[in-house]
Amino acid sequence: MTTDLGNLSLESKDDNCEDDVVDPWNVCSKSKTGIDYDKLISRFGSSKIDKKLISRIQSVTKKPIHHFITRGIFFSHRDLHSILDLYEKGKPFYLYTGRGPSSTSLHIGHLVPFIFTKWLQDVFNVPLVIQLTDDEKYLWKDLKLEEAKKLSIENAKDIIACGFDRKNTFIFSDFQFMGESPSFYANVVRIQKSVTFNQVKGIFGFGDSDVIGKIAFPAVQAAPCMSSTFPFIFGENKVPCLIPCAIDQDPYFRMTRDVAPKLGCHKPALIHSSFLPSLQGSDSKMSASDLNSAIYLTDTPKQIKNKINKYAFSGGQVTVEEHRLKGGDCSVDISYQYLKHFLESDEDLNKIERNYTSGKMLTGELKKILIDLMTSMIQEHQSNRSKITNEDVKEFMTPRKLL
């Protein structure tokens, strides 16, 4: 019998990106079409979300499927069938996701897992825990400890603005919650005792010059997979969890799935998203050091318009005449890729694809559609966020019994 650790080793990092690199800190593709996700499924040993599974989700929930699934944005899973089995039997599970707070504002790529997690919470009506790994960012980034803590609060406001059910959602920062919860720390130590240095080095590629905090950190991200970390929510019940996350976070949970049975806990189930590409193209990564690589939730309408018009990589042809003749390439066009994520109407998206591919629609027209959509979406988010007070944040971050 193989374990989840079987495929854990990450590919070596390559600054020239001669092959796809995906790990918790690096995402790079050699192709303008982005990461080869079928190859990644094979490498990581996960399962593809196919039409049969999509049909089962719809049958079990009796709700319309989110377009993130039907369009392949959430494309891979581990043990999702087991979660659907529990739901059919009326047995409990909970959702767990997170955010590493490294900047004052999220960008639209950060929104993808939270938009989907909110849909899961609404559809299944289950508790949700959201981890803010301010300790991780302190260890990996050039941040002061107090700054990392403040970023947690700011990011929490952006997350709350997504509309999560406050009666059924607990948000916690590691710095704060670790000091308040003996159960959290106990599970962290139990996991640390169950994973060797050689294993964690092989999983995450740590070297001799890495600080010991990095080597110990994976257990901190693993602990929320165990319901005993939250006795105020679940009591002594052992409740399984489902983790919606980008696939670069999968190594943490492959490690956890190997450890969990040894500790008498359920293996976490996962559902993975692909990456929203940088404005400059699917072969580059959104970067906090390059504000023009992403659209941020604090951007003004003018900034959004300028970024998309100036930086969004085009799949169009060099001249209007050539574009009318040959049409555009939606597989590399960033404006189309963003619309694929955030334009909810399948009918409208299909029409845009047909018109752009045929050459009927020009790149400027396509960008105008995206500008209007992004402006409306971000202004709505900014309005929601402006209404969130420090008391609201405190309520979400207070350990308490959920529904």
Side-chain angles (χ1 to χ4, degrees), residues 117-136:
T117 300
K118 182 185 182 301
W119 178 79
L120 289 172
Q121 185 183 52
D122 291 344
V123 166
F124 291 105
N125 190 29
V126 290
L128 163 66
V129 296
I130 300 175
Q131 181 183 41
L132 299 172
T133 55
D134 41 13
D135 52 343
E136 175 201 16

Side-chain angles (χ1 to χ4, degrees), residues 227-296:
S227 59
S228 56
T229 298
F230 311 101
F232 49 89
I233 300 175
F234 304 108
E236 297 182 1
N237 298 317
K238 292 183 178 181
V239 181
C241 79
L242 171 63
I243 305 169
C245 63
I247 197 166
D248 62 329
Q249 297 300 300
D250 187 70
Y252 285 109
F253 305 117
R254 278 180 280 161
M255 180 195 78
T256 311
R257 285 169 57 82
D258 190 74
V259 169
K262 303 173 187 176
L263 301 178
C265 299
H266 295 281
K267 288 185 177 185
L270 291 99
I271 181 165
H272 304 117
S273 74
S274 56
F275 306 106
L276 184 70
S278 159
L279 280 170
Q280 284 89 343
S282 295
D283 59 344
S284 60
K285 182 184 178 183
M286 293 185 189
S287 170
S289 61
D290 181 3
L291 295 180
N292 294 319
S293 68
I295 297 171
Y296 283 82

Side-chain angles (χ1 to χ4, degrees), residues 37 49 66-76 112-113 116 245-247 271-276 336-343 349:
Y37 288 106
I49 296 176
H66 199 284
H67 68 270
F68 281 176
I69 295 181
T70 57
R71 295 177 190 171
I73 293 163
F74 274 81
F75 68 100
S76 166
V112 170
F116 187 67
C245 63
I247 197 166
I271 181 165
H272 304 117
S273 74
S274 56
F275 306 106
L276 184 70
Y336 175 80
Q337 293 302 319
Y338 281 27
L339 289 171
K340 183 178 178 181
H341 280 72
F342 299 110
L343 183 63
L349 184 68

Side-chain angles (χ1 to χ4, degrees), residues 314-328 355-365:
S314 169
Q317 305 300 331
V318 176
T319 65
V320 171
E321 292 76 14
E322 187 179 2
H323 185 87
R324 294 293 191 199
L325 179 65
K326 297 181 179 179
N355 288 343
Y356 191 63
T357 302
S358 69
K360 184 177 180 181
M361 177 181 287
L362 299 175
T363 296
E365 296 172 294

Side-chain angles (χ1 to χ4, degrees), residues 157-158 160-163 297-299 301 374-389 392:
K157 291 178 180 178
D158 272 328
I160 293 167
C162 292
L297 302 185
T298 51
D299 282 349
M374 287 288 98
T375 301
S376 174
M377 177 178 153
I378 289 177
Q379 285 186 323
E380 181 181 357
H381 183 91
Q382 289 171 352
S383 175
N384 292 339
R385 193 187 191 281
S386 69
K387 299 168 188 173
I388 296 166
T389 65
D392 292 324

